[in-house]
Amino acid sequence: MDRRPNIIFLFPDQLRADYVGCYGAAFAKTPALDALAAEGVRYERALSMHPVCVPARAALLTGCNALSTGVMDNTHWLRPDHGAIGMPSWPSLLSAAGYHTEGIGKMHFTPWDMSEGFDHRVISEDKRHTLIEDDYAAYLASHGLKKLRGWEEEGYVENRMAAISGIPAEHQVDNWVGRTAVDFVSGYGGDKPFACMVAFPGPHDPYNPPREWAEMFDPADMPEALPGTADTERFRAEHIKGHAGGSARVDLETFPAEAKARIRAHYCALVAMIDAQVGAIVAAADARKDGRDTIIIFAADHGDFVGDYDFLGKNLFFDPAMHVPLIVRVPGGPRGVSSPEMVTITDIFATMLAAAGVKNETGRDSYPLPAVAPDGSRRAHAIGAIANGVVVDDGRYRLARYTNGLATLYD
């Protein structure tokens, strides 16, 4: 029997680190993630060097930063022959090495239903992409429901995307993704080890928990948003324009403190829903009797301003958009460790390969996380690029240059 470990990679969309309890968020309710950190390694300074959904995912998938992939915004994807030219995906490499690779949830590929090396996918795409007829859409239809656009839900416009979902809690997309993952982890009986990526569409906006989850969090308990600065003011007009149309359709010209507090409370509710599913998936993994260990990795593609600097979303090289949670639990490995080492989510590529015993020959900007490969190479700095700028971070200093001419240097 192949004794290599099973691998479960849990990956919410747009979760910043300081809204998770074990990262200091006393106002959050994340017992499952806190327990996972107590059983493994929590990286204090995990960064998303490409703080936009698709660029971050392209870099993670290939282990190459955006200067190599060429994917710097959400309107582009990897060239179709990227594997043939020396930039294969980690699912394709693990599949070729004898793993069953399972993808559940949101991947943000173009086209949305391509495999990118996964042997099997169960798909629920972006919360804003309501017209995609994915597996979640079919599930909703079977229960007489459908995906809803943000402005079709209660409170969306006046509360700057902080709405109450019209879809019952049982049928919420993150709960459906979690149940689908539990079914896979519990029911998988193949001879091969598996590598399963569980990609939650939340807590990405719209910030729309069902009512009973929203009522668990009081806006008055939320931390105050950071005020704007001379640097962030340079992006404000563009930010307002970007949210006025498209799939957002909210007016951020005025952004009162009470709206920010409500957004943060709803964001916490979405995080808490995902945390409950994380607990169920970990329990399912621990209950398996196949004789294999299971490595669990938890991370996010980028953060969310949730009102800081009068912003929502990401797309800038500031900590609310770049600083993400990253937790790794390895059976027999370190427990309850908090690592100050700078790592990036692109390092998950090399980490997945190391866990599976596969040599990393192509992920040129990916280093295995110390929890999985204690003797592996370490990064001295990290480079990132998105459509509006480039950044380099050496763990202490962060230098960024934007296309609007602004340059920032932070300690």
Side-chain angles (χ1 to χ4, degrees), residues 59-60 62-65 344-353 360 362-369 377-379:
L60 184 154
T62 62
C64 299
N65 66 40
T344 80
I345 64 164
T346 309
D347 294 333
I348 291 170
F349 174 93
T351 303
M352 300 288 270
L353 269 57
N360 176 16
T362 59
R364 295 181 293 277
D365 190 27
S366 189
Y367 299 81
L369 295 169
S377 300
R378 299 288 178 263
R379 66 167 61 251

Side-chain angles (χ1 to χ4, degrees), residues 112 122-126 129-148 167 171 173 176:
W112 59 269
V122 184
I123 305 173
S124 60
E125 276 304 305
D126 197 293
H129 296 168
T130 57
L131 300 181
I132 290 179
E133 296 182 357
D134 52 24
D135 296 310
Y136 177 59
Y139 165 82
L140 288 177
S142 72
H143 290 83
L145 300 167
K146 66 175 185 176
K147 298 180 187 179
L148 298 173
I167 296 174
H171 304 303
V173 64
W176 178 81

Side-chain angles (χ1 to χ4, degrees), residues 24 108 112 215 403:
H108 231 322
W112 59 269
E215 290 176 350
T403 55

Side-chain angles (χ1 to χ4, degrees), residues 264-282:
R264 289 169 171 235
H266 283 209
Y267 186 74
C268 281
L270 294 172
V271 174
M273 276 205 308
I274 292 170
D275 182 81
Q277 297 304 320
V278 168
I281 295 166
V282 172

Side-chain angles (χ1 to χ4, degrees), residues 208-293:
N208 60 340
R211 190 177 305 279
E212 60 267 41
W213 284 85
E215 290 176 350
M216 292 170 57
F217 295 89
D218 186 344
D221 295 335
M222 297 296 109
E224 290 187 14
L226 297 173
T229 69
D231 287 343
T232 63
E233 188 64 25
R234 295 279 294 271
F235 301 97
R236 181 160 162 71
E238 180 183 0
H239 187 78
I240 292 169
K241 181 180 178 181
H243 281 79
S247 58
R249 298 194 189 181
V250 290
D251 182 4
L252 296 180
E253 188 72 44
T254 59
F255 201 166
E258 55 268 26
K260 297 173 185 175
R262 183 176 297 276
I263 286 168
R264 289 169 171 235
H266 283 209
Y267 186 74
C268 281
L270 294 172
V271 174
M273 276 205 308
I274 292 170
D275 182 81
Q277 297 304 320
V278 168
I281 295 166
V282 172
D286 290 344
R288 286 186 58 83
K289 304 295 184 183
D290 62 356
R292 295 188 186 96
D293 290 334

Side-chain angles (χ1 to χ4, degrees), residues 294-382:
T294 301
I295 294 173
I296 298 177
I297 302 169
F298 179 91
D301 55 350
H302 48 73
D304 190 325
F305 287 107
V306 288
D308 282 341
Y309 315 125
D310 292 324
F311 292 162
L312 296 175
K314 57 280 183 183
N315 206 35
L316 295 171
F317 300 118
F318 293 87
D319 254 22
M322 294 181 68
H323 186 200
V324 295
L326 180 49
I327 302 168
V328 182
R329 192 190 79 170
V330 178
R335 292 175 59 89
V337 173
S338 179
S339 171
E341 185 166 350
M342 184 188 71
V343 296
T344 80
I345 64 164
T346 309
D347 294 333
I348 291 170
F349 174 93
T351 303
M352 300 288 270
L353 269 57
V358 177
K359 186 177 180 180
N360 176 16
E361 297 179 323
T362 59
R364 295 181 293 277
D365 190 27
S366 189
Y367 299 81
L369 295 169
V372 173
D375 299 324
S377 300
R378 299 288 178 263
R379 66 167 61 251
H381 63 274

Side-chain angles (χ1 to χ4, degrees), residues 114-195:
M114 70 190 306
S115 71
E116 283 295 10
F118 284 106
D119 296 320
H120 182 255
R121 290 187 61 195
V122 184
I123 305 173
S124 60
E125 276 304 305
D126 197 293
K127 290 167 66 176
R128 291 190 183 187
H129 296 168
T130 57
L131 300 181
I132 290 179
E133 296 182 357
D134 52 24
D135 296 310
Y136 177 59
Y139 165 82
L140 288 177
S142 72
H143 290 83
L145 300 167
K146 66 175 185 176
K147 298 180 187 179
L148 298 173
R149 293 171 294 185
W151 51 91
E152 296 177 307
E153 297 193 311
E154 178 187 337
Y156 177 89
V157 173
E158 58 269 35
N159 294 320
R160 279 67 168 184
M161 292 198 274
I164 297 295
S165 179
I167 296 174
E170 176 188 0
H171 304 303
Q172 286 285 309
V173 64
D174 292 321
N175 290 338
W176 178 81
V177 166
R179 289 197 306 272
T180 302
V182 167
D183 289 345
F184 171 79
V185 172
S186 299
Y188 177 76
D191 293 332
K192 301 176 180 180
F194 67 76

